[in-house]
């Protein structure tokens, strides 16, 4: 792996990987290659081209399934993590026992608002696992919030705003004790660490292709087969049926039951290529390399005295910070002049910003192609901003 | 366009030392507005007497652009006629700030004017 694999990185220092990642040439080429050589509607034609497209789509599903240690028919392709979570929120109701949904205060809006709507519609209440001052979840609070009233626990494995790695095993064990279902928002974990759904034993898991070198427009929902089988589809139309009369329809088998309409073969192919790229490096190597870079960045950023860093001990490659008396947006605008891309804002986690007591933070987030030189350039640019506002 | 142009000294000065920053004890008009994109949060308070702005303050949290704009805008409108203020637009703010602003950050620059207009509608 090197930066030269990523055409766009020749022009910028890209430190907003929690928002979306850049794409290697191989992924871009795989998508173009599909359109040039294999484009047809999957599962619909008996001609060779359509069979080729179907095969590529099925292969992509298998690649994704292997990546998280699932079976292929437990993998549903969606547009993104948000859609995956919405699918669960739309279809899970008949499986639930209990009247409470437990979330954490550090959820991305996409794992909060679907449940707010769900609760309103179905007369449920939401409970939130609180955060401790060290930016980790309060697991004592989790033990209180997860109880016999709990129907489902939905939580992020890694917080996109803080980088905190949550103890998924612990939360799932608590949920199981009370026969509650579990959904992991893996949008920030699947790209950066080994995620094994068998080992985790979660019921659902959601992530996005574009945050792991894949294209925009393809996401994944994993669900345990016995649960998905009991759930009703939430969108209706072509491909998701087995037989149709004018009055009735019989649903297709998994996973097609949940993939109504023409599927996104090109981006599934692109995602599979991205996963191959990641696996070629090794998820364990990626995790280790990111951890090293994170430590280096923390050490360097701590030298800037006006920075306040919101960071948990056990954390993924994300650092949220504020600079005394400088709005995060001003920081990001000024860094942009040095061709350094960082995020500033509430990171789709407004309730969390409220708890932190700030309207916004600046955030850097790493991926496989980031280097110590990137960090050095960042620090230099931040010192420049500091001089401008504090000088 | 270079962002540096947005951060000329007069903008940073206005941000560091904003005019009319604070609270009014008995405002006749007030409004609080947010810019969800930035997390900017601005409250405008006014005392209007016979159609004229007698006092005005603002407070809240914002980026350099939104605070500088609010500072300059509050300076400008003191003593002005409400009807004339209602006619103020984007161009008036850009004229006050005297810097080029890209489309994304324009929201920050215009937040105080929007807040002011909403306050006067009440
Ligand atoms: C933790 C987390 N969950 C969910 C999402 C939503 O991902 P998407 O916008 O790709 O659906 C994000 C993306 O920012 C995220 O960081």
């Amino acid at each position: 792996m090197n930066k030269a694999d990523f055409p766009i990185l020749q022009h910028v220092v890209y430190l907003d990987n929690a928002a979306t990642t850049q794409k290697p040439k191989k992924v871009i080429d795989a998508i173009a290659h599909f359109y040039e050589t294999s484009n047809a509607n999957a599962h619909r034609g008996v001609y060779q081209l359509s069979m080729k497209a179907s095969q590529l789509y099925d292969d992509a599903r298998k690649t994704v399934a292997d990546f998280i240690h699932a079976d292929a028919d437990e993998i549903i392709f969606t547009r993104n993590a948000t859609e995956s979570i919405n699918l669960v929120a739309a279809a899970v109701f008949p499986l639930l026992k209990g009247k409470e949904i437990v979330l954490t205060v550090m959820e991305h809006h996409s794992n909060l608002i679907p449940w707010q709507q769900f609760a309103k519609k179905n007369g449920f209440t939401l409970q939130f696992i609180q955060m401790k001052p060290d930016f980790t979840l309060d697991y004592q609070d989790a033990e209180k919030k997860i109880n016999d009233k709990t129907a489902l626990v939905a939580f992020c494995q890694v917080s996109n705003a803080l980088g905190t790695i949550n103890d998924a095993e612990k939360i799932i064990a608590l949920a199981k004790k009370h026969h509650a279902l579990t959904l992991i928002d893996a949008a920030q974990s699947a790209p950066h660490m080994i995620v094994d759904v068998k080992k985790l034993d979660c019921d659902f898991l959601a992530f996005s292709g574009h945050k792991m070198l894949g294209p925009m427009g393809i996401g994944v929902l994993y669900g345990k087969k016995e649960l998905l089988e009991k759930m009703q589809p939430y969108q209706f139309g072509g491909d998701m049926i087995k037989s149709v009369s004018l009055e009735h329809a019989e649903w297709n088998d998994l996973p097609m039951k949940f993939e109504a309409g023409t599927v996104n073969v090109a981006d599934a192919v692109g995602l599979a290529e991205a996963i191959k790229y990641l696996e070629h490096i090794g998820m364990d190597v990626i995790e280790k390399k990111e951890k090293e870079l994170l430590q280096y960045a923390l050490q360097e950023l701590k030298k800037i005295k006006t920075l306040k860093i919101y960071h948990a001990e056990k954390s993924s490659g994300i650092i949220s910070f504020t600079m005394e008396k400088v709005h995060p947006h001003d920081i990001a605008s000024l860094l942009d002049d040095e061709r350094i891309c960082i995020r500033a804002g509430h990171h789709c986690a407004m309730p969390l910003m409220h708890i932190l007591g700030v309207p916004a933070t600046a955030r850097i987030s790493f991926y496989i192609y980031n280097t110590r030189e990137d960090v050095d350039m960042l620090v230099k640019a931040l010192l420049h901003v500091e001089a401008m506002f504090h000088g | 366009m270079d962002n540096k142009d947005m951060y000329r000294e007069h903008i940073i000065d206005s941000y560091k030392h904003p005019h009319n920053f604070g609270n009014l004890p008995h405002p006749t008009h007030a409004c609080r507005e947010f810019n969800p994109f930035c997390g900017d949060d601005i409250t405008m308070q006014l005392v209007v007497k016979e159609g004229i702005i007698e006092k005005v303050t603002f407070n809240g949290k914002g980026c350099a652009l939104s605070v500088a704009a609010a500072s300059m805008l509050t300076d400008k409108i003191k003593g002005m006629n409400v009807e004339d203020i209602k006619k103020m637009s984007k161009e008036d703010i850009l004229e006050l700030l005297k810097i080029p602003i890209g489309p994304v950050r324009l929201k920050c620059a215009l937040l105080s004017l929007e807040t002011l207009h909403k306050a006067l509608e009440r």
Side-chain angles (χ1 to χ4, degrees):
Chain A
M1 200 298 301
N2 64 57
K3 275 197 180 183
D5 291 352
F6 295 79
I8 213 171
L9 294 181
Q10 314 315 311
H11 310 290
V12 291
V13 173
Y14 187 76
L15 294 171
D16 193 15
N17 293 287
T20 196
T21 58
Q22 299 304 341
K23 324 304 174 198
K25 185 95 183 8
K26 271 192 172 160
V27 168
I28 300 168
D29 287 348
I31 296 166
H33 189 250
F34 167 77
Y35 281 123
E36 283 167 7
T37 64
S38 322
N39 180 51
N41 208 316
H43 308 305
R44 287 191 187 173
V46 292
Y47 49 93
Q48 283 189 28
L49 204 55
S50 174
M51 287 191 287
K52 197 167 165 190
S54 308
Q55 187 62 49
L56 285 170
Y57 190 62
D58 294 346
D59 290 349
R61 196 191 304 277
K62 182 78 174 67
T63 302
V64 172
D66 290 346
F67 181 65
I68 58 167
H69 305 266
D71 293 334
D73 48 11
E74 296 176 315
I75 299 296
I76 296 157
F77 280 126
T78 61
R79 284 191 300 123
N80 47 39
T82 302
E83 190 172 66
S84 301
I85 295 166
N86 274 278
L87 193 163
V88 177
V92 78
F93 178 74
L95 304 182
L96 297 182
K97 305 182 187 85
K99 277 285 177 195
E100 292 185 358
I101 305 285
V102 177
L103 309 170
T104 80
V105 293
M106 55 173 85
E107 295 314 310
H108 189 280
H109 294 165
S110 65
N111 194 33
L112 169 61
I113 302 168
W115 300 115
Q116 289 176 348
Q117 292 303 112
F118 176 94
K120 278 194 189 119
K121 188 171 147 209
N122 299 305
F124 277 51
T125 42
L126 300 181
Q127 297 287 348
F128 294 93
I129 302 170
Q130 299 298 312
M131 188 177 75
K132 293 198 293 190
D134 65 359
F135 310 113
T136 62
L137 284 182
D138 182 341
Y139 293 99
Q140 281 178 341
D141 190 47
E143 283 181 30
K144 280 186 226 138
K145 298 285 163 64
I146 302 173
N147 54 46
D148 287 339
K149 286 181 272 180
T150 308
L152 179 131
V153 185
F155 64 98
C156 57
Q157 193 168 13
V158 170
S159 152
N160 70 303
L162 297 168
T164 306
I165 301 174
N166 293 323
D167 190 341
E169 280 85 1
K170 195 180 253 176
I171 296 173
I172 290 169
L174 281 172
K176 285 198 179 309
K177 205 166 100 187
H178 298 282
H179 308 287
L181 295 182
T182 50
L183 179 149
I184 298 184
D185 174 356
Q188 297 296 346
S189 55
H192 302 274
M193 57 181 72
I194 295 168
V195 168
D196 181 335
V197 293
K198 290 271 145 55
K199 219 176 191 171
L200 286 166
D201 202 18
C202 54
D203 294 304
F204 302 100
L205 182 132
F207 58 96
S208 289
H210 70 93
K211 293 185 198 281
M212 48 192 288
L213 309 182
M216 293 176 170
I218 190 96
V220 175
L221 174 67
Y222 158 82
K224 275 188 185 156
K225 196 170 174 178
E226 67 263 29
L227 299 177
L228 291 177
E229 269 169 353
K230 283 186 216 147
M231 286 157 63
Q232 292 295 307
Y234 91 125
Q235 287 182 339
F236 306 90
D239 287 337
M240 51 76 65
I241 44 76
K242 212 174 244 174
S243 70
V244 179
S245 69
L246 283 178
E247 275 83 28
H248 293 289
E250 192 187 329
W251 308 144
N252 207 335
D253 296 328
L254 286 176
M256 279 86 82
K257 182 170 92 173
F258 290 106
E259 294 182 1
T262 294
V263 294
N264 185 356
V265 184
D267 292 329
V269 167
L271 174 57
E273 193 64 33
I275 289 175
K276 283 175 203 155
Y277 189 97
L278 292 173
E279 286 183 327
H280 183 71
I281 304 169
M283 292 309 291
D284 48 344
V285 175
I286 290 170
E287 195 179 340
K288 187 161 160 274
K289 202 188 142 201
E290 274 181 29
K291 200 175 269 174
E292 279 166 15
L293 191 59
L294 176 70
Q295 290 315 322
Y296 177 70
L298 283 170
Q299 167 203 310
E300 293 304 302
L301 287 173
K302 279 180 187 155
K303 293 178 186 164
I304 306 174
K305 291 292 169 245
T306 54
L307 289 197
K308 177 165 183 195
I309 299 175
Y310 306 84
H311 196 264
E313 175 93 21
K314 201 159 173 253
S315 173
S316 178
I318 294 174
I319 305 174
S320 241
F321 62 91
T322 49
M323 186 184 277
E324 231 171 84
K325 296 192 189 134
V326 187
H327 192 283
H329 267 240
D330 294 325
I331 301 175
S333 279
L334 284 161
L335 262 50
D336 186 37
D337 281 345
E338 315 295 324
R339 307 303 258 151
I340 301 172
C341 310
I342 74 160
R343 182 72 174 274
H346 51 64
H347 317 298
C348 297
M350 281 181 161
L352 180 63
M353 293 297 116
H354 196 75
I355 292 171
L356 298 179
V358 292
T361 68
R363 178 190 73 184
I364 55 171
S365 50
F366 298 122
Y367 210 28
I368 54 172
Y369 33 69
N370 289 120
T371 59
R372 286 184 172 220
E373 287 74 52
D374 294 344
V375 173
D376 293 341
M377 284 176 70
L378 168 79
V379 169
K380 195 170 150 221
L382 283 173
L383 286 169
H384 189 73
V385 176
E386 186 185 50
M388 238 172 126
F389 281 86
H390 289 262
Chain B
M1 187 201 77
D2 238 17
N3 289 308
K4 276 201 193 84
D5 291 337
M6 269 185 335
Y7 293 91
R8 300 239 179 91
E9 222 164 284
H10 67 284
I11 299 292
I12 301 215
D13 275 350
S14 275
Y15 172 69
K16 283 190 195 163
H17 312 288
H19 296 177
N20 314 309
F21 191 86
N23 278 300
L24 287 177
H26 304 292
T28 56
H29 297 69
C31 181
R32 181 176 179 187
E33 276 293 312
F34 301 90
N35 172 355
F37 175 71
C38 274
D40 290 342
D41 171 356
I42 284 205
T43 301
M44 283 263 175
Q45 296 176 326
L46 302 145
V47 174
V48 181
K49 242 187 206 156
E50 289 158 11
I52 303 286
I53 308 294
E54 198 162 77
K55 290 179 190 158
V56 54
T57 60
F58 78 99
N59 62 66
K61 281 181 183 152
C63 62
L65 236 45
S66 67
V67 171
S71 170
M72 293 175 188
L73 179 64
T74 47
D75 268 350
K76 174 157 175 93
I77 63 166
K78 262 184 258 174
M80 261 177 82
N81 187 306
V82 170
E83 291 315 309
D84 290 339
I85 294 173
K86 283 184 181 167
K87 282 185 223 138
M88 287 177 81
S89 67
K90 176 177 125 188
E91 279 67 36
D92 296 294
I93 298 294
L94 291 177
E95 203 169 292
L96 283 174
L97 289 171
K98 297 188 181 66
I99 49 165
I101 302 176
V104 174
R105 301 302 299 277
L106 197 59
K107 285 200 186 80
C108 312
L110 297 182
L111 181 64
S112 52
L113 182 63
E114 275 167 36
T115 313
L116 177 65
H117 281 164
K118 284 201 180 136
L120 290 174
E121 271 162 30
R122 292 190 175 165

